[in-house]
Amino acid sequence: MRSGVIAQKMGMTRLFTEAGNHVPVTVLRLAQCQVVAHRSKEKDGYVALQLGSGTRKVKNVSKAERGRFAVAKVEPKRKLAEFRVDEKELIPVGAEITADHFVVGQFVDVTGTSIGKGFAGGMKRWNFGGLRATHGVSVSHRSIGSTGGRQDPGKTFKNKKMPGHMGNERITTLNLRVVQTDVERGLIMIEGAVPGAKGGWITVRDAMKKAPPKDLPKPGKFRLADAAPAAEAKEGA
């Protein structure tokens, strides 16, 4: 199992195929996505990579966090996330993951925080049909109607679909296809919509329900701190 990446959502556009068909894509940018730390089975009980992306002003970082980033020899990061990996899929601390970590045509799972809609009624939040628009209903056409039973059970059960706060939830969209990558600018174009607003932070990893491509780089594509070109570590390093 390989590591994923932390990316920033830039917005949507479209790309044209050789046949002239247009493909709507979401543009994700890798903002200096670097490995900050390792999690080992001996010390932490599991094997994982901690990645950081984006930049923060040093004055806004606590002394403890400054020391942690100094040990890894990376700049303070705005967003941190952990990815469980196999021991042979570890990437060196300080390495920057590049956009060709994913290959064109492969499927990925994307996780982000959906846009908050505030308080919403049952029709908008749960796609209810509403009440009749003609006889017998007065000024309550969009209400949800009765919510409880009769004397038995005499209450409204928990988790019933009702009006309430809509959006602002952690959502994972499965099996989105990578259409194009730009290593120089650190861009990944993914077909379809990705949860979250522009500028939001997104985690991207290999699809769990699709077979990985045969040419998938292991443990990944990355650029070492002291090397300009992207390097591919040997399997089992």
Side-chain angles (χ1 to χ4, degrees):
M1 184 167 56
R2 299 193 318 156
S3 171
V5 299
I6 307 173
Q8 191 174 23
K9 181 177 177 179
M10 305 305 295
M12 292 194 69
T13 183
R14 61 177 178 173
L15 300 176
F16 288 91
T17 63
E18 296 180 356
N21 300 324
H22 80 91
V23 181
V25 296
T26 302
V27 181
L28 304 179
R29 181 175 69 94
L30 298 181
Q32 295 181 353
C33 183
Q34 291 180 278
V35 180
V36 176
H38 288 171
R39 296 289 182 259
S40 62
K41 188 169 294 183
E42 295 77 14
K43 184 177 180 181
D44 305 291
Y46 62 97
V47 179
L49 287 175
Q50 185 183 58
L51 302 185
S53 188
T55 57
R56 295 177 63 187
K57 293 183 179 179
V58 178
K59 68 175 184 177
N60 295 332
V61 181
S62 65
K63 288 185 177 180
E65 289 181 324
R66 291 181 206 171
R68 189 154 60 95
F69 290 122
V71 171
K73 297 181 179 180
V74 299
E75 296 181 357
K77 299 298 182 181
R78 179 171 295 276
K79 182 69 174 179
L80 296 174
E82 286 190 4
F83 295 91
R84 296 285 186 99
V85 297
D86 299 329
E87 292 186 2
K88 62 181 180 179
E89 305 294 348
L90 288 173
I91 298 175
V93 174
E96 179 183 352
I97 299 179
T98 55
D100 52 353
H101 182 76
F102 301 103
V103 299
V104 175
Q106 84 165 102
F107 291 90
V108 294
D109 296 339
V110 182
T111 302
T113 301
S114 62
I115 299 176
K117 302 292 185 180
F119 188 91
M123 293 182 69
K124 179 176 181 178
R125 191 183 186 197
W126 302 111
N127 198 29
F128 285 171
L131 304 185
R132 294 179 63 182
T134 53
H135 305 290
V137 178
S138 177
V139 202
S140 58
H141 306 284
R142 295 181 64 87
S143 67
I144 64 174
S146 176
T147 61
R150 299 185 179 183
Q151 185 173 353
D152 182 18
K155 65 175 182 179
T156 300
F157 288 105
K158 290 183 179 181
N159 302 321
K160 181 172 178 60
K161 295 180 179 179
M162 298 178 67
H165 191 174
M166 180 180 177
N168 195 29
E169 297 177 340
R170 180 181 171 88
I171 293 178
T172 299
T173 304
L174 305 178
N175 303 332
L176 297 181
R177 186 170 62 90
V178 177
V179 178
Q180 185 176 325
T181 59
D182 189 333
V183 179
E184 293 183 359
R185 294 187 292 175
L187 301 180
I188 303 174
M189 285 75 161
I190 297 178
E191 182 178 2
V194 169
K198 292 181 181 179
W201 295 101
I202 308 294
T203 59
V204 187
R205 63 169 62 230
D206 298 336
M208 300 295 293
K209 296 183 179 180
K210 293 281 189 178
K214 295 182 180 180
D215 57 345
L216 201 63
K218 297 285 187 72
K221 286 281 188 174
F222 55 88
R223 181 185 298 115
L224 297 176
D226 55 349
E232 180 180 352
K234 294 182 180 180
E235 186 173 357

